[in-house]
């Protein structure tokens, strides 16, 4: 009789799986944020006639720079941190998620227009925040300083 010793696979999704999902979402968001910023700064993206008047200092260029700095840089940093599994990946990812949520809420408040992409990117912000928070809690639970031994 031949028996195999297959460990039962847990239906739970691992931290690594969630990190990979978050890394891809962050990378895509970063690329799109930089593309949007380049479009705004270079004039290839238009916002209609009313939206630019609602922007701070009526500046589409400033909006593009802000998009790159507030969304592009943090989400790209989160993607890289998650892929490289650096020690501060959880903090970077949480920060990127929160900044993305703040960006979307601020965008809706400033331009006073709604688009389905705001929902999509808002959900990405929630995902990044949740994954970062979960990774932080997992690391704290596994830390020997908290009395746990691995």
């Amino acid at each position: 009789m031949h028996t195999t010793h297959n460990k039962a696979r847990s239906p739970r999704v691992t931290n690594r799986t969630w990190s990979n999902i978050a890394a891809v979402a962050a990378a895509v968001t970063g690329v799109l944020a930089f593309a949007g910023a380049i479009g705004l700064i270079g004039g290839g993206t238009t916002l209609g006639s009313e939206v630019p008047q609602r922007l701070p200092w009526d500046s589409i260029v400033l909006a593009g720079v802000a998009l790159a700095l507030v969304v592009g840089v943090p989400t790209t940093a989160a993607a890289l941190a998650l892929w490289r599994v650096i020690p501060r990946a959880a903090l970077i990812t949480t920060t990127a998620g929160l900044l993305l949520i703040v960006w979307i809420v601020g965008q809706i408040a400033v331009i006073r227009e709604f688009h389905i992409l705001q929902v999509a990117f808002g959900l990405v912000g929630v995902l990044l925040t949740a994954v970062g928070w979960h990774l932080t809690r997992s690391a704290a639970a596994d830390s020997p300083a908290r009395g746990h031994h691995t």
Side-chain angles (χ1 to χ4, degrees), residues 73-86:
V73 170
T75 55
T76 301
L80 292 171
L82 289 165
W83 275 321
R84 293 181 181 211
V85 194
I86 68 167

Side-chain angles (χ1 to χ4, degrees), residues 25-121:
V28 169
T29 302
V31 167
L32 292 174
F34 284 121
I38 291 168
L40 289 169
I41 294 166
T45 301
T46 60
L47 301 175
S49 60
E50 292 182 22
V51 172
Q53 297 170 358
R54 297 177 188 146
L55 297 173
W57 299 285
D58 300 335
S59 176
I60 294 175
V61 171
L62 180 60
V65 171
L67 177 60
L69 294 176
V70 177
V71 178
V73 170
T75 55
T76 301
L80 292 171
L82 289 165
W83 275 321
R84 293 181 181 211
V85 194
I86 68 167
R88 298 219 183 251
L91 175 63
I92 294 167
T93 303
T94 303
T95 302
L98 291 172
L99 285 171
L100 183 53
I101 293 166
V102 167
W103 177 266
I104 295 299
V105 170
Q107 182 185 68
I108 293 168
V110 169
I111 69 170
R112 296 180 294 233
E113 290 187 8
F114 177 78
H115 193 279
I116 193 68
L117 284 176
Q118 292 163 325
V119 174
F121 285 111

